[in-house]
Amino acid sequence: MRLAFLSTVAVFLSAAAPAVAAGADPTAGARLAKETCSSCHAVGADTAAQSPDSKAPRFIDVAKMPSTTELSLKVFLRSSHRNMPNFILTPEEIDGVAAYILGLNKK
C-alpha cells in the first residue's frame, strides 16, 4: 500500500515538474550567451567549434553531461566561480540561458 502511494506521488511530481521553467526564453538565453559568454565558451550547437579559452567547456558539452539538469544549471548560474567573471543575472536571464543550454542536448 505504501509503495503504491509513493509510486503515485513520484509519477505526479515528475509529471508536474516541467523540463524547463515555464516562460523560459531559450532565444533570449542564446542571445545573452553569445553576448556575454562567447568570449570564453563555444556557446553554439556546432560540435566542431572550440572554446576561445581552452579551460572553458563548450556549452554543447555541458548540455550533454548526465549531471546537467535545469536545477544544476540554475544553481551554477547563481553561484560565483573562481575561474569565471562574477556575472549577476536576473531570474529571467538564468531561465533563458538554462533553457538554451538544455536545448543544445536535443540538437
Side-chain angles (χ1 to χ4, degrees):
M1 176 82 166
R2 184 174 181 180
L3 182 59
F5 173 75
L6 292 175
S7 297
T8 302
V9 169
V11 168
F12 174 75
L13 289 176
S14 66
V20 176
D25 185 354
T27 303
R31 188 171 43 255
L32 180 63
K34 287 175 187 158
E35 293 169 1
T36 308
C37 309
S38 65
S39 61
C40 295
H41 297 271
V43 299
D46 181 2
T47 58
Q50 296 298 313
S51 291
D53 180 341
S54 63
K55 296 177 196 161
R58 301 178 316 158
F59 279 19
I60 192 140
D61 294 333
V62 172
K64 294 181 184 298
M65 293 171 55
S67 60
T68 298
T69 64
E70 180 184 10
L71 179 61
S72 70
L73 287 170
K74 288 182 176 186
V75 169
F76 182 86
L77 292 169
R78 283 185 172 89
S79 306
S80 60
H81 297 87
R82 183 178 352 174
N83 298 325
M84 285 182 48
N86 190 21
F87 294 114
I88 298 175
L89 304 175
T90 67
E92 293 79 19
E93 289 171 331
I94 289 170
D95 288 348
V97 172
Y100 172 67
I101 292 172
L102 291 171
L104 291 173
N105 195 24
K106 295 174 176 72
K107 296 185 179 198

